[in-house]
Amino acid sequence: MTWFNTPLTERLHTQFPLIQAPMAGGVTTPELVAAVSNAGGLGSLAAGLLDPQEIRAAIIAIRELTDKPFAVNLYAPQPWQEDTDRIQQVMDLLSPYREELGLPSTPPTEPYQPNYSEQLAVVLDEGVNIISFAFGLPAPEEIETLKEWDVLIMATATHLLEGILLEESGVDIIIAQGAEAGGPRSTFVGPAEQGLVGTMALVPLLANHVKIPIIAAGGIMDGRGIAAALVLGSAGVQLGTAFLTCPESGAHPDYKALLAHSTEINTRLSRCFTGRLARGLKNRFTEDLYAHETEWPDYPIQNALTHDILQAAARQNRSEFMALWAGQGCPLCTDKPAGELVAHWIAQAKEALSG
Amino acid sequence: MTWFNTPLTERLHTQFPLIQAPMAGGVTTPELVAAVSNAGGLGSLAAGLLDPQEIRAAIIAIRELTDKPFAVNLYAPQPWQEDTDRIQQVMDLLSPYREELGLPSTPPTEPYQPNYSEQLAVVLDEGVNIISFAFGLPAPEEIETLKEWDVLIMATATHLLEGILLEESGVDIIIAQGAEAGGPRSTFVGPAEQGLVGTMALVPLLANHVKIPIIAAGGIMDGRGIAAALVLGSAGVQLGTAFLTCPESGAHPDYKALLAHSTEINTRLSRCFTGRLARGLKNRFTEDLYAHETEWPDYPIQNALTHDILQAAARQNRSEFMALWAGQGCPLCTDKPAGELVAHWIAQAKEALSG
């Protein structure tokens, strides 16, 4: 099985070079993370939007289900601008939806996001030794701290320059997020529209220019994609959408049902939910509001402005108001358990690589 | 060498499952087409914008350089709307550039494109037995005629529904054009923005749903990409951008020089040159005019409206007015001869597939 012994499995101490992507909104339950790690991959807890105490509880719950390695994902702090006028305009735009959902029209107040330093402190305090970052680059002094704590650092690049910056900063592993990927784009240099490079082009380009291991992400849905990513020059793969419909996934049942009948031409890149460009299935919210695409305030403000809408949508089973993150491979989703999927994909990748 | 014996090499009678993409604007010289075919791949003549007599001359010239199979590419006829007001508006928008290039401001007159039936008649008369189509589906009676002439028919899909339609129509081989690809998008069902599916997601999806061979195109720049496409489930690959900078390519020297220093984040999807959404390097023309992106008339009108500008730009070495088609893998371009590239890529693909 030399195919699956890569610089990634050596660094992660996993059986297979396969990571379950961190997916916010309650998708990465302890059950999902543990199932992937127990199956020989690396589960990831999406902790970027969780409060420190929620992160601690989740880590403890994962540890009750597995003694294998897993990762915690945080959002690297990023610049954003407060804009009171714009917040009021967006509140007005969203008020018909709030009314429909029976929500009061109260603008959110700061803090718009959980405290990043407290999040990181909890992760370190819990002894997690693999942290992945989205949305940017941790500060130099943080990288130093993480190295002192013997933490393996993964961070996300959407184009070559970001990959080079990550390598220079001391990051251990680069996650190459291709344009096919679901959820928010991780672009941190230049506009997100510029960072929409397909996985097929992005991985070999990074492999030519950086020495640290690269994880391919975006459009990979099964063993064929895993095999393709490895021969392209990646040391492993990260799959998100392919795990969304697992029984262990915390995705809303209506969201899972929509994925089961999705088509690859039914995703949309939009900033309407979080302020960051993100790929998900079209629904009433994305389509109604697409004309306002340039008006949303930066993340995390827009995220705070839609938070109650998303929560009410989940409670009331109103998928037309949910953030239905999905990559372009979404029609290949299946409802098999996560551990079974990992075993099946590895067998399929082996088969694909045997000629 | 079982890896490179695929349903494609069986149908094409080539040594390798590798096609040089048809690229308009004089790129696919007889020298380029013949060099690829002589090296064991399949060269393609881009004939969609050529007059029948130019097509005949090119076919004769190719045959003087190779006795191996090659393909001719045509544009399947597509619906478009005449719009006199819009033509005048666009003439006004383009007049400063015409002035700068010393061109008269005379609107083009019909026909806006070469006669398709005459193009096809010449190709058949010359006994070409592989025809690939871009921009759509040949009419049922044409497909019947082509089959009577024993012509192998390839056509281009950008999403699953198009692939299914092509298979049902009797096409022999589907070219799956991923979003990474350079040049015009071939989308013929739905808006072109919807048909921007990355190669990594598109190929396995098509492979699950159609039985005829699939050629992966978009983002493939070398042996790693070729190997990846094969394990993804394609029967072969089509590379365009990777041949642009070959000495045999007819691309303008300034265009080749820009490709040699290009970055993957410097391409832009725009309709400004032809009226069809197309990917190319940004230049003054694409950036100046991007605000007018929704105003261009359909192909072939916009193509006719910019024709003299592109010709003058080439004569005057003004790359700021050229259509610099490029896929997202453009930084991986090299200036090696086409035959050498094919041999190198096949060796590299073999290496990538050996684990």
Side-chain angles (χ1 to χ4, degrees), chain B residues 107-136:
Chain B
T109 51
E110 292 214 58
Y112 297 129
Q113 57 188 340
N115 185 300
Y116 167 73
S117 303
E118 291 174 15
Q119 289 179 318
L120 188 58
V122 164
V123 176
L124 293 178
D125 185 52
E126 284 295 330
V128 171
N129 57 5
I130 308 173
I131 303 183
S132 67
F133 289 94
F135 304 169

Side-chain angles (χ1 to χ4, degrees), chain A residues 3 159-161 180 194 196-201 204-205 207-208 218-220 224-225 227-229 231-232 264-265 282 328-329 331-332 352-355, chain B residues 3 159-161 180 194 196-201 204-205 207-208 218-220 224-225 227-229 231-232 264-265 282 328-329 331-332 352-355:
Chain A
W3 267 112
H159 55 76
L160 179 57
L161 176 56
E180 296 93 335
Q194 225 173 46
L196 289 171
V197 184
T199 302
M200 190 65 94
L205 196 57
N208 275 14
I220 303 171
R224 293 170 296 181
V231 300
L232 268 184
E264 77 290 2
I265 54 174
K282 293 177 188 172
Q328 292 185 316
L332 296 173
L353 290 165
S354 70
Chain B
W3 266 113
H159 55 76
L160 179 57
L161 177 56
E180 297 91 336
Q194 224 173 49
L196 290 170
V197 184
T199 302
M200 190 64 95
L205 196 57
N208 275 14
I220 303 171
R224 294 170 295 181
V231 301
L232 268 184
E264 78 290 2
I265 54 175
K282 293 177 188 171
Q328 292 186 316
L332 296 173
L353 290 165
S354 71

Side-chain angles (χ1 to χ4, degrees), chain A residues 58-111:
Chain A
I59 293 170
I60 292 169
I62 293 166
R63 289 234 170 91
E64 279 168 14
L65 300 170
T66 186
D67 56 2
K68 297 287 197 302
F70 61 94
V72 172
N73 181 267
L74 295 173
Y75 298 159
Q78 50 197 300
W80 52 279
Q81 291 200 313
E82 180 82 59
D83 182 338
T84 323
D85 289 349
R86 194 169 277 213
I87 290 176
Q88 194 46 58
Q89 284 161 20
V90 172
M91 284 302 294
D92 293 346
L93 266 174
L94 299 181
S95 71
Y97 306 113
R98 283 213 165 75
E99 215 162 292
E100 209 176 319
L101 289 162
L103 294 169
S105 260
T106 326
T109 51
E110 293 214 57

Side-chain angles (χ1 to χ4, degrees), chain B:
Chain B
M1 287 297 303
T2 58
W3 266 113
F4 305 119
N5 268 333
T6 76
L8 188 71
T9 51
E10 282 167 33
R11 300 298 300 270
L12 298 179
H13 305 290
T14 59
Q15 195 180 351
F16 306 119
L18 185 159
I19 301 175
Q20 161 254 312
M23 293 174 280
V27 172
T28 60
T29 60
E31 290 72 22
L32 178 61
V33 176
V36 174
S37 289
N38 284 332
L42 185 81
S44 307
L45 173 71
L49 295 176
L50 301 184
D51 288 328
Q53 64 274 24
E54 293 174 312
I55 296 176
R56 194 185 300 275
I59 292 170
I60 291 169
I62 293 166
R63 288 235 170 90
E64 280 169 13
L65 300 170
T66 186
D67 56 2
K68 295 286 197 301
F70 62 93
V72 172
N73 181 267
L74 294 173
Y75 299 159
Q78 50 198 301
W80 52 278
Q81 291 200 313
E82 180 83 59
D83 183 339
T84 323
D85 289 350
R86 194 170 276 213
I87 289 176
Q88 195 44 59
Q89 284 161 21
V90 172
M91 285 303 294
D92 293 346
L93 265 174
L94 299 181
S95 71
Y97 306 113
R98 283 212 165 75
E99 217 164 290
E100 207 175 322
L101 289 161
L103 293 169
S105 258
T106 326
T109 51
E110 292 214 58
Y112 297 129
Q113 57 188 340
N115 185 300
Y116 167 73
S117 303
E118 291 174 15
Q119 289 179 318
L120 188 58
V122 164
V123 176
L124 293 178
D125 185 52
E126 284 295 330
V128 171
N129 57 5
I130 308 173
I131 303 183
S132 67
F133 289 94
F135 304 169
L137 192 64
E141 59 277 13
E142 260 163 31
I143 290 185
E144 236 172 85
T145 308
L146 293 173
K147 287 187 180 286
E148 280 162 21
W149 284 72
D150 220 14
V151 168
L152 195 78
I153 311 168
M154 306 197 280
T156 312
T158 64
H159 55 76
L160 179 57
L161 177 56
E162 291 180 341
I164 290 170
L165 287 172
L166 291 179
E167 180 170 59
E168 283 177 355
S169 76
V171 158
D172 297 295
I173 292 168
I174 293 171
I175 297 159
Q177 187 191 35
E180 297 91 336
R185 303 296 306 159
S186 234
T187 307
F188 62 94
V189 177
E193 285 76 6
Q194 224 173 49
L196 290 170
V197 184
T199 302
M200 190 64 95
L202 182 60
V203 172
L205 196 57
L206 279 166
N208 275 14
H209 289 275
V210 303
K211 289 191 189 70
I212 58 177
I214 296 157
I215 310 295
I220 303 171
M221 293 297 292
D222 58 26
R224 294 170 295 181
I226 294 168
L230 293 176
V231 301
L232 268 184
S234 77
V237 293
Q238 180 170 288
L239 292 82
T241 306
F243 285 110
L244 271 172
T245 44
C246 288
E248 298 93 337
S249 146
H252 191 282
D254 295 354
Y255 177 13
K256 289 185 179 182
L258 287 168
L259 283 165
H261 298 95
S262 64
T263 69
E264 78 290 2
I265 54 175
N266 195 33
T267 72
R268 153 85 79 199
L269 285 159
S270 161
R271 286 184 170 81
C272 65
F273 290 110
T274 71
R276 288 192 72 94
L277 194 68
R279 188 183 292 283
L281 298 182
K282 293 177 188 171
N283 61 5
R284 189 177 140 205
F285 195 81
T286 66
E287 300 313 284
D288 270 13
L289 293 171
Y290 196 64
H292 302 281
E293 188 58 19
T294 57
E295 299 165 30
W296 310 123
D298 290 346
Y299 178 92
I301 302 179
Q302 181 67 9
N303 195 65
L305 284 165
T306 64
H307 181 68
D308 60 336
I309 294 176
L310 296 187
Q311 291 212 313
R315 281 193 309 270
Q316 301 177 27
N317 304 321
R318 299 283 296 268
S319 62
E320 68 266 44
F321 297 119
M322 295 178 188
L324 305 167
W325 304 141
Q328 292 186 316
C330 55
L332 296 173
C333 277
T334 70
D335 59 2
K336 292 205 182 75
E340 210 175 292
L341 280 178
V342 171
H344 170 66
W345 293 337
I346 296 295
Q348 194 188 14
K350 217 194 287 190
E351 166 78 22
L353 290 165
S354 71

